[in-house]
Amino acid sequence: MEERRQGKSDKTGTEKRHFHMNEEILRAHPEFHDPQLPSLEARIDMAATKVPKLAASAAEKAIAEWGRPATDITHLIFGTYSDGRAPSADLHLASLLGLRPSVCRTIINLHGCYGGSRALQLAKEIAENNHGARVLVACSEATLISFGGPDGSNLVGHGLFGDGAGTIIVGADPMANVERPLFEIVSASQTTILNIEHAIGMEFTKGGLDFNMSIHVPALLRQNIERCLLDVFGIGPVGVHIDGSIEWNDLFWAVHPGGPPILDGIEAALKLQPEKMAASRHVLREYGNMSGATIVFVLDELRRRWRKEEGERRPEWGVMLAFGPGITIETIVLHSAAMQFA
């Protein structure tokens, strides 16, 4: 099912989202409308099938573009908040893709919107420490795990979140004439804003997965983001000399679009030119917030724009940002790979 919205009164920044949920499912499960009714088991049953299938669809496209067989994948990292049983979505995805029985699987659960960045950092460490490793990072979410009737407190969430899956293959020492890297993950780090751990939260209840996000989150991120970035660039092996007056507009930006106030706040704090957030705002507008999968869509949108602007000068260095429970800030410094965008 696809939802489109029009109107200037919409403050979520989304015009279109995609859902597995449809009218037939809602008629068959009236308990999904009422958080006081037990529905968690039914939701998990549905997600156990749909979430890995959605990831498989994305992964098949990524593997085909990668140019090597799926059996060459050595590790799988699966990020989701929609899975609630074991064997979990990582094993089901490995089976759907025909990965080798020896593939090393890891599932990252309940990291929320920073799950994609966390998975990429783990993939970087695996690839750098295991010769020849190729890590498939898959993030897949289905909002059916948390869908509910509007009760006045969750209207923004229901207007913002959508279903989606994104996959990336990470490795070191690319195979010449076969693998065409997009970005080099130069450094990755995690920062926690202390003493506000309840500002963003998720909890499984009898009525499904319950989300909580304080209205103060955009302001907290705005107040902390530049200090976090200066710390990252100051201690990381970045290759960019920082003298305390870095021009953030010299970089490209892949920011998780948690919502317009978050993007607006970071843009203001760093004095970014509007085009620096264009990829993030496009993904938010066309797909909504798909939790950890969203950052993969932002990277792909950057690639699409670079293809369109082939031959034009673009920044060599960039930053990926994602945020989640903690409040946690995931920061990855990226280097644009020297390649032709086919």
Side-chain angles (χ1 to χ4, degrees):
M1 183 173 74
E2 178 181 284
E3 182 211 49
R4 293 177 183 267
R5 282 200 310 276
Q6 301 293 336
K8 294 182 179 179
S9 62
D10 179 25
K11 297 182 180 180
T12 65
T14 63
E15 295 180 2
K16 182 171 61 177
R17 296 176 299 158
H18 301 264
F19 301 93
H20 168 70
M21 188 76 68
N22 57 32
E23 290 83 356
E24 182 181 352
I25 292 174
L26 293 176
R27 284 194 296 269
H29 295 277
E31 69 274 20
F32 286 2
H33 294 279
D34 188 347
Q36 300 306 313
L37 295 177
S39 62
L40 182 60
E41 184 176 357
R43 295 171 189 266
I44 289 177
D45 284 344
M46 295 171 64
T49 300
K50 300 305 179 184
V51 168
K53 280 187 176 180
L54 187 60
S57 177
E60 286 165 357
K61 296 174 184 177
I63 291 169
E65 186 171 350
W66 173 41
R68 294 175 59 179
T71 49
D72 283 358
I73 292 171
T74 60
H75 297 74
L76 168 62
I77 304 173
F78 198 118
T80 187
Y81 64 69
S82 305
D83 194 24
R85 60 170 52 164
S88 51
D90 58 324
L91 179 58
H92 295 308
L93 177 60
S95 177
L96 288 169
L97 296 177
L99 304 186
R100 290 184 296 178
S102 59
V103 69
C104 297
R105 296 177 286 105
T106 301
I107 189 158
I108 296 178
N109 205 357
L110 291 178
H111 283 59
C113 293
Y114 76 90
S117 294
R118 179 102 300 264
L120 286 171
Q121 175 166 351
L122 179 57
K124 165 185 165 63
E125 294 172 358
I126 291 172
E128 291 176 344
N129 289 283
N130 294 271
H131 180 69
R134 291 298 180 267
V135 187
L136 175 63
V137 172
C139 298
S140 180
E141 302 294 1
T143 51
L144 62 87
I145 200 72
S146 58
F147 176 86
D151 61 8
S153 63
N154 60 358
L155 292 176
V156 173
H158 285 319
L160 184 64
F161 284 89
D163 296 0
T167 59
I168 294 178
I169 297 169
V170 178
D173 301 319
M175 183 180 296
N177 302 319
V178 177
E179 296 175 312
R180 296 169 297 172
L182 297 171
F183 303 104
E184 177 188 2
I185 302 175
V186 178
S187 69
S189 62
Q190 182 185 96
T191 301
T192 303
I193 305 175
L194 299 176
N195 302 319
I196 51 171
E197 60 269 18
H198 299 298
I200 304 176
M202 295 179 286
E203 181 180 10
F204 279 109
T205 70
K206 65 180 182 180
L209 186 65
D210 185 33
F211 283 95
N212 169 64
M213 190 172 87
S214 167
I215 61 172
H216 302 296
V217 168
L220 290 166
L221 292 174
R222 184 176 67 246
Q223 294 161 10
N224 287 274
I225 193 64
E226 186 163 35
R227 181 69 266 162
C228 173
L229 288 167
L230 288 172
D231 289 345
V232 167
F233 275 80
I235 64 175
V238 179
V240 177
H241 297 291
I242 306 301
D243 60 5
S245 59
I246 184 172
E247 177 50 64
W248 300 119
N249 282 296
D250 289 342
L251 311 175
F252 63 86
W253 293 85
V255 180
H256 176 84
I262 289 176
L263 295 179
D264 293 345
I266 293 172
E267 187 176 86
L270 303 178
K271 299 180 176 60
L272 295 179
Q273 298 162 357
E275 63 268 20
K276 295 297 178 178
M277 292 286 190
S280 296
R281 293 189 190 276
H282 172 85
V283 170
L284 182 63
R285 184 172 62 251
E286 294 296 314
Y287 302 97
N289 185 342
M290 301 164 287
S291 194
T294 320
I295 199 66
V296 182
F297 280 65
V298 175
L299 290 173
D300 193 54
E301 177 62 18
L302 276 174
R303 177 178 67 158
R304 187 191 69 80
R305 289 168 183 256
W306 287 356
R307 281 174 171 170
K308 187 176 180 180
E309 301 165 357
E310 189 173 358
E312 296 185 19
R313 183 180 179 184
R314 60 175 179 266
E316 182 180 1
W317 293 91
V319 177
M320 179 195 302
L321 292 171
F323 323 100
I327 295 174
T328 303
I329 301 175
E330 287 276 347
T331 307
I332 293 181
V333 177
L334 298 171
H335 185 248
S336 177
M339 58 164 287
Q340 287 185 337
F341 289 86

